[in-house]
Amino acid sequence: MKHFYFFLLSALVCLSLSAQSKVSGDSLAADFHYLVKQLEATHPDPYTGFGGKVFFHKQAFDLENELRSKPHTLQEFWDKSMAFLSFIQDGHTYLFSLAPKQRQEQSYLPVGFRCIPDGLIVQSLPAAHQDLLGSLLTGINGKSMDELLVRTASLFACENLYNRYSVFCRNVARKQFMQQLLPDLEDTVCLNLRTPDGKEMTLEQHFMDNEDLRKAEKASLPSWEGCPEEQMAYRFIDKKKEVMMFKVNSIMARDNFEYMYKYMKGDLFRQMEFYYQNALRKEMPADTLQAIHALPSFSGTFATMLKEMKKNRSEYLIIDLRGNSGGWTPIVLATLYQLYGDKYLQEDMDTEYYRIVSPLYMNKLEVTLEEFNKRYGTDYNFGDYTFSMEEQEDVPLDTLRRQFIDDCMSSVKEELRAQKGAPVYTPKQVFVVTDERTFSAAFHYSFMLWKMGATVVGVPSGQAPNTFMEQTLFKLPHTGIEGSISNSMQVFLPGKDKRAKTFWPDVMLTYDEYKQAGFDKQAEILFLLDKMGEGK
């Protein structure tokens, strides 16, 4: 069984300079040169997406000279650098966003879209056009969605079609993004739509500032209120208590922060602050240990939920990973043991990670190369790859179990030991609901549950099973812009597998099925409840 020891950090960096301040060409060229050197030292393969090493360096050479030729704003530098990084097609290699205050100065369209397997549908728009809710977006200003998505992938790194949908959907309302997609864009956007009754039509919309946008009356698609919404919230969603639903908005909890406090304090505060603000939406206690202890354990919460299911002999568990951008994969492993017991320990996930040894990777682990080699009995040099070692054969099950519990990232290890190889509870069927934003550690969780027999339902993840992985942080010396570079390659499926780049769910609703559900945000859940009621 493979163990995953890495993390996903998403953060915003606040810069002392305005995004519109001009910076000297020499400083920007030096920062970009530094970025290129870090890519070569840290990323397992920055070259292939450019067509090879020579073409990687040719594009880097051209952009460095362009930056040096004249001053640019930080926003221009960020845009050009992100476009360069897009060739790698790696969702974990990017520059963090510029200061959020800059977004308040932008203009926006009063529309929102949601991804379904068939494309993007209108999620919200001005109330006067509420009859267009659920319409498919077929293009903008006469440009087809195919054209727009290709352009999107040239601006931001995208791993597959649904990653393109995700990036497009999250940015399409921003005027700055739309101007990048459509350079001749003015103040009017013509949305090309196919209505629920099959008619083709065009809806004109104008950009608005933040204040006008807040005041505008909007209409939105409905959302069934029977589902839990908060981080690690769970409840029965049927009257007979046969269907339990567990909502996971982030793969972070007390378990990983306790580990960080013990072994990786360097980035503890920033990750924990991000978790409190974005996943829990509340203030973080000033005292670090108090902030950690105030958090529930992921595996502790999961065990409590399973015990409630066992008490009611519940047959179905729905794990909702929609909108979950990831976190720390190791904290989910204990829940697989709680769900399946020794069966999980004996399951070969058949996944591989190929890491490159670099100074940034050592900085992330907070060790020197010498200490790393001593710890693992290796003799690596910078630039070497750490290919997977052969696993021990014929390890007694009780030894395997003891090693797993000793090493796992869980705050309730004594509870795990008390299981003695038996699951806490295994329902008749587990369903995992994903969407295009199910990414990184969240995708890993869905994949491992699928390997254990769960049924995946919903929209394909924007994460490719075979892709680059793990965040390794860096900071550009002149501008102070921070970012991340992948330090490993993950291989989850054979290269020719139809799911190697896009993990197609076992169950995907059609446009007509979403329409029958009133395009409800919880359409997948309502669909499952309907099928369970029919005994299917």
Side-chain angles (χ1 to χ4, degrees):
M1 184 182 61
K2 306 295 186 293
H3 294 270
F4 305 80
Y5 288 99
F6 55 87
F7 65 93
L8 172 68
L9 167 70
S10 296
L12 296 174
V13 54
C14 294
L15 304 172
S16 58
L17 293 169
S18 163
Q20 301 308 320
S21 299
K22 294 278 186 177
V23 181
S24 75
D26 286 341
S27 294
L28 295 180
D31 266 6
F32 182 72
H33 185 80
Y34 178 85
L35 171 60
V36 170
K37 292 301 179 185
Q38 295 304 322
L39 278 171
E40 289 198 280
T42 309
H43 199 280
D45 179 15
Y47 307 121
T48 299
F50 290 84
K53 189 172 183 178
V54 171
F55 299 102
F56 168 85
H57 279 287
K58 178 62 168 66
Q59 290 215 37
F61 175 81
D62 290 343
L63 181 50
E64 185 176 328
N65 285 336
E66 179 185 343
L67 291 169
R68 184 179 287 110
S69 68
K70 64 178 182 179
H72 291 77
T73 66
L74 286 181
Q75 186 64 59
E76 289 170 338
F77 173 75
W78 191 89
D79 290 340
K80 291 177 185 293
S81 298
M82 287 289 282
F84 175 83
L85 294 174
S86 72
F87 282 88
I88 304 176
Q89 299 176 38
D90 172 10
H92 286 83
T93 297
Y94 60 96
L95 300 180
F96 292 163
S97 300
L98 299 181
K101 68 178 182 179
Q102 300 300 327
R103 296 183 178 183
Q104 298 172 5
E105 301 169 5
Q106 295 182 15
S107 298
Y108 299 86
L109 292 173
V111 295
F113 298 92
R114 185 168 99 234
C115 186
I116 65 172
D118 291 335
L120 299 180
I121 61 173
V122 178
Q123 172 72 33
S124 62
L125 78 174
H129 305 289
Q130 64 178 359
D131 57 314
L132 297 177
L133 290 170
S135 296
L136 268 171
L137 180 66
T138 59
I140 298 178
N141 286 13
K143 299 289 185 181
S144 70
M145 282 305 300
D146 286 344
E147 294 175 277
L148 296 172
L149 293 173
V150 167
R151 179 62 178 158
T152 297
S154 72
L155 300 173
F156 294 86
C158 297
E159 298 189 2
N160 59 30
L161 171 63
Y162 288 89
N163 203 177
R164 294 183 181 190
Y165 277 132
S166 177
V167 172
F168 181 88
C169 196
R170 282 182 281 125
N171 290 282
V172 65
R174 293 193 300 116
K175 185 174 184 179
Q176 181 186 357
F177 176 75
M178 292 298 293
Q179 287 174 326
Q180 289 177 288
L181 284 186
L182 304 165
D184 58 350
L185 179 73
E186 296 182 357
D187 287 330
T188 301
V189 172
C190 295
L191 304 174
N192 308 124
L193 304 174
R194 181 177 301 126
T195 66
D197 58 2
K199 296 179 181 177
E200 305 288 340
M201 59 100 47
T202 298
L203 175 66
E204 286 192 5
Q205 290 293 285
H206 302 279
F207 290 98
M208 308 168 69
D209 60 31
N210 260 334
E211 186 63 28
D212 289 339
L213 191 64
R214 278 194 294 269
K215 294 178 182 177
E217 186 180 354
K218 281 189 176 183
S220 299
L221 291 174
S223 179
W224 181 55
E225 296 181 353
C227 297
E229 294 283 350
E230 303 300 320
Q231 164 71 342
M232 291 192 294
Y234 61 86
R235 75 169 72 130
F236 291 110
I237 58 172
D238 67 320
K239 293 180 180 179
K240 296 181 179 180
K241 295 188 176 182
E242 292 182 348
V243 185
M244 176 68 81
M245 184 170 171
F246 182 50
K247 177 63 176 173
V248 188
N249 295 321
S250 172
I251 309 296
M252 287 187 177
R254 186 171 82 232
D255 316 74
N256 61 277
F257 292 119
E258 286 180 340
Y259 178 88
M260 293 184 74
Y261 186 79
K262 189 174 182 180
Y263 299 109
M264 299 174 65
K265 288 185 180 179
D267 203 42
L268 171 63
F269 181 81
R270 178 160 56 172
Q271 287 202 49
M272 192 156 57
E273 185 178 48
F274 177 81
Y275 180 69
Y276 264 93
Q277 291 178 355
N278 292 273
L280 304 182
R281 302 196 182 282
K282 61 183 182 181
E283 289 297 317
M284 183 176 76
D287 182 86
T288 302
L289 282 175
Q290 182 185 348
I292 294 174
H293 293 154
L295 297 172
S297 161
F298 194 85
S299 46
T301 303
F302 198 82
T304 302
M305 177 196 67
L306 288 180
K307 290 172 185 175
E308 192 167 340
M309 292 186 71
K310 183 176 182 179
K311 177 182 176 181
N312 290 277
R313 298 181 180 179
S314 310
E315 293 191 336
Y316 304 104
L317 171 61
I318 299 174
I319 299 177
D320 185 3
L321 297 176
R322 290 172 296 175
N324 189 324
S325 62
W328 286 68
T329 300
I331 71 172
V332 308
L333 304 185
T335 70
L336 297 171
Y337 177 66
Q338 291 167 328
L339 197 53
Y340 299 106
D342 284 346
K343 179 183 176 183
Y344 163 64
L345 300 182
Q346 295 171 299
E347 178 70 29
D348 184 1
M349 291 292 164
D350 198 23
T351 57
E352 300 287 346
Y353 282 89
Y354 308 141
R355 292 180 177 84
I356 186 170
V357 179
S358 70
L360 283 183
Y361 183 49
M362 293 300 106
N363 289 343
K364 181 172 82 169
L365 299 180
E366 298 182 6
V367 297
T368 65
L369 180 59
E370 292 74 18
E371 291 169 337
F372 181 86
N373 280 327
K374 184 177 180 180
R375 179 183 299 177
Y376 295 103
T378 55
D379 58 353
Y380 291 122
N381 293 310
F382 288 134
D384 289 344
Y385 288 81
T386 65
F387 296 109
S388 302
M389 303 292 290
E390 288 296 323
E391 295 186 4
Q392 294 175 280
E393 297 292 337
D394 301 322
V395 177
L397 186 55
D398 58 347
T399 302
L400 182 63
R401 187 189 312 129
R402 185 182 67 253
Q403 291 175 343
F404 168 75
I405 296 174
D406 287 344
D407 295 340
C408 76
M409 199 177 289
S410 170
S411 300
V412 293
K413 290 188 178 184
E414 290 308 313
E415 292 184 25
L416 299 178
R417 291 188 180 98
Q419 288 179 225
K420 297 181 178 179
V424 175
Y425 182 67
T426 306
K428 174 183 175 181
Q429 181 64 50
V430 178
F431 297 95
V432 184
V433 187
T434 65
D435 66 8
E436 77 286 358
R437 299 191 192 188
T438 304
F439 207 75
S440 196
F443 172 74
H444 295 155
Y445 197 21
S446 67
F447 182 87
M448 289 186 284
L449 286 162
W450 176 74
K451 290 284 283 190
M452 295 304 302
T455 300
V456 179
V457 181
V459 179
S461 167
Q463 166 88 64
N466 295 356
T467 187
F468 304 111
M469 184 52 59
E470 303 187 44
Q471 281 200 324
T472 311
L473 306 183
F474 66 90
K475 184 175 183 178
L476 299 180
H478 295 282
T479 60
I481 295 175
E482 296 179 84
S484 164
I485 299 174
S486 292
N487 61 261
S488 72
M489 174 73 189
Q490 72 174 32
V491 181
F492 278 14
L493 294 167
K496 293 184 179 180
D497 192 294
K498 67 177 183 179
R499 285 171 154 163
K501 292 301 291 182
T502 302
F503 191 82
W504 302 100
D506 302 298
V507 179
M508 292 187 291
L509 276 63
T510 65
Y511 180 83
D512 285 341
E513 285 171 324
Y514 281 101
K515 180 179 176 181
Q516 290 169 16
F519 300 105
D520 195 286
K521 177 184 176 182
Q522 307 295 349
E524 293 88 353
I525 309 302
L526 295 171
F527 175 87
L528 287 175
L529 283 174
D530 184 55
K531 296 304 177 187
M532 291 172 193
E534 295 176 3
K536 295 181 181 178

